[in-house]
Amino acid sequence: RHLLGLREEHDLPFLNFVVGKGLAEHPESLDLLFFQLVALHFIYGDTKQAQEQEKKLQDKKGIFIDRSFHLYAVMRRATHDLASSNMGQELNLAEFDAKMNVARRSHQNCLSLMKKFFNLVIKQEKSGSTAYGRPSP
């Protein structure tokens, strides 16, 4: 993150090496995979390798909704950049942030409801009743 913040062109090969090394040691890290995908599309301009990375991410099972939306947004923007590099309207970042916040809130709400449900089940099991008000056998 620090190297990206410096915006030095000569740091990019080292940054690419560090991310590649991280992926070699931790291939399951979604954060590194997403970072590499964004870097390949928008920093290095390597669309062929970026498309391979997209396929890897799409094949992964169990990606949360916020991550899948992030993948969609990156793919949409990359496709848009390829289609009209000089003409174009960029991805509306405010729209992206708003949808990402909705996804995060929905995810947190879902987790909260699941926790309440399981706490209710545990409470009812301790009291000896069942979920539908019938006495336990």
Side-chain angles (χ1 to χ4, degrees), residues 46-106:
D46 188 355
T47 56
K48 183 178 179 184
Q49 194 175 7
Q51 289 172 347
E52 292 172 9
Q53 193 74 15
E54 286 172 7
K55 288 179 186 175
K56 285 181 189 176
L57 281 170
Q58 287 174 341
D59 292 340
K60 286 218 179 269
K61 301 292 183 203
I63 295 181
F64 291 117
I65 193 166
D66 57 341
R67 302 264 184 168
S68 61
F69 182 77
H70 186 200
L71 178 61
Y72 163 76
V74 168
M75 290 170 51
R76 179 177 163 191
R77 172 133 186 224
T79 304
H80 185 270
D81 285 354
L82 285 176
S84 59
S85 59
N86 293 331
M87 298 177 64
Q89 305 164 340
E90 295 184 5
L91 176 66
N92 184 350
L93 294 178
E95 175 189 354
F96 174 79
D97 286 340
K99 288 184 179 181
M100 191 63 104
N101 287 335
V102 167
R104 282 191 186 105
R105 278 194 307 268
S106 297

